[in-house]
Amino acid sequence: MNFLDLVKKRQSVRKYLNKMVEKEKIERCLEAARLAPSASNSQPWEFIVVDDPKLKEAVANETFDRIISFNRFSLQAPVLILLISERSGLVRKIAEAIKDKPFNLIDIG
């Protein structure tokens, strides 16, 4: 499949099966994300897999509120993967200031 075909088939999932996700599938997704390109190959991210039901519910509840409710679907997900943006090092901070761009936020996007 070429890239354009892949982009055309992409979808946002908002409904989930009520079953756990196999560890191998989670690890495959994490490996793909880990290999994603980043500015200066800095990979300014960390991933946290949350599959404990009580902790997952607590985290999911923090993703929405009464006013901003569009993330309610996260309550149904069998697993959450949190993406943590790491702070930029000195060289990247200088580059970000010169370019007026938060590279770490662009990278995790």
Side-chain angles (χ1 to χ4, degrees), residues 16-26 49-54 56 76-80:
Y16 306 95
L17 299 175
N18 189 18
K19 70 176 202 172
M20 293 303 296
V21 178
E22 296 87 349
K23 186 175 181 179
E24 297 79 26
K25 289 181 180 176
I26 294 170
V49 177
V50 181
D51 56 3
D52 174 81
K54 287 188 179 193
K56 185 193 69 69
Q76 301 168 6
V79 64
L80 297 176

Side-chain angles (χ1 to χ4, degrees), residues 12 22 28 33 44 54 61 65-67 75 90 92 103-104 108-109:
S12 295
E22 296 87 349
R28 189 170 176 202
K54 287 188 179 193
N61 276 319
D65 58 28
R66 289 190 329 206
I67 296 171
L75 287 168
L90 180 60
R92 279 182 55 108
F103 293 126
N104 64 325
I108 67 170

Side-chain angles (χ1 to χ4, degrees), residues 8-43:
K8 288 177 181 177
K9 291 180 184 247
R10 139 207 201 283
Q11 62 183 359
S12 295
V13 177
R14 299 290 188 257
K15 295 192 185 236
Y16 306 95
L17 299 175
N18 189 18
K19 70 176 202 172
M20 293 303 296
V21 178
E22 296 87 349
K23 186 175 181 179
E24 297 79 26
K25 289 181 180 176
I26 294 170
E27 288 174 354
R28 189 170 176 202
C29 289
L30 290 173
E31 182 66 2
R34 183 187 72 77
L35 294 171
S38 60
S40 302
N41 197 31
S42 62
Q43 300 178 330

Side-chain angles (χ1 to χ4, degrees), residues 39 44 88 92 95-97 99-108:
S88 298
R92 279 182 55 108
E96 288 175 349
K99 295 285 192 176
D100 193 29
K101 296 196 182 327
F103 293 126
N104 64 325
L105 298 180
I106 294 168
D107 289 340
I108 67 170

